[in-house]
Amino acid sequence: MLIKEFTLKEDEVSILANELKNIIANRNYIVILRGDLASGKTTFVKKYVESLGLDDVVNSPTFSIQVKYSSNIFHYDLYNKTLEEFLALGMLEEFEKEGTHFVEWGSLRLEEILNDYGFDVIVIDIKKKEESRVYKVYA
């Protein structure tokens, strides 16, 4: 179910990051980020980490699959992995760790699996629109 939609320039992404903080409200969540290459998935995670007052360096975990930041923030990138490979690596168990988990390139099938296991999931679809991005937040 669509709960919010934002059209933001890169320097305004913190608005959505703060909104997500309010939605999550210190609960464990998995946030699936979907969008084309260079749509701003990693930039969003960076703005979220900054909104918490953390100074962690945020980079896309494309080749490492997972990065853990301060305050139990986890960041995954499935661009180079199939869902089956991700699950075979035991990554589903990682979602049981307390915190906020951001998953770039998470498929609809992953979303279904996470919901079936009872995880709280938010999906953010990101679309490029000229100098801005359209963020649709589903929960």
Side-chain angles (χ1 to χ4, degrees):
M1 170 174 73
L2 179 68
I3 57 172
K4 293 233 177 182
E5 183 174 325
F6 300 82
T7 301
L8 304 168
K9 293 183 179 178
E10 186 174 341
D11 62 349
E12 300 172 319
V13 175
S14 58
I15 294 168
L16 176 55
N18 286 320
E19 184 67 28
L20 184 63
K21 278 193 325 190
N22 293 333
I23 293 169
I24 290 175
N26 295 319
R27 295 183 312 219
N28 298 327
Y29 262 96
I30 300 168
V31 181
I32 296 175
L33 301 169
R34 295 187 184 136
D36 294 334
L37 281 172
S39 62
K41 296 178 293 296
T42 301
T43 298
F44 176 74
V45 176
K46 179 180 180 179
K47 295 294 184 181
Y48 182 83
V49 168
E50 288 174 0
S51 77
L52 296 174
L54 305 173
D55 60 0
D56 295 52
V57 175
V58 174
N59 294 305
S60 178
T62 301
F63 298 104
S64 61
I65 302 174
Q66 178 195 48
V67 174
K68 182 178 184 279
Y69 306 117
S70 302
S71 295
N72 289 337
I73 298 172
F74 301 86
H75 188 188
Y76 310 84
D77 189 320
L78 302 184
Y79 184 72
N80 287 325
K81 294 285 180 209
T82 65
L83 177 58
E84 291 74 22
E85 289 171 322
F86 184 74
L87 297 176
L89 291 169
M91 299 307 285
L92 190 61
E93 289 79 14
E94 290 295 302
F95 295 132
E96 295 176 5
K97 293 180 178 176
E98 249 184 63
T100 304
H101 300 260
F102 290 94
V103 183
E104 296 189 28
W105 301 100
S107 66
L108 177 59
R109 183 68 187 123
L110 175 62
E111 179 185 351
E112 291 168 348
I113 290 169
L114 295 172
N115 283 322
D116 287 348
Y117 275 87
F119 291 106
D120 290 323
V121 178
I122 293 172
V123 175
I124 301 178
D125 282 323
I126 306 169
K127 302 276 190 244
K128 297 177 191 176
K129 182 181 178 185
E130 299 166 5
E131 297 298 314
S132 300
R133 301 291 188 264
V134 177
Y135 300 85
K136 293 183 179 179
V137 181
Y138 299 88

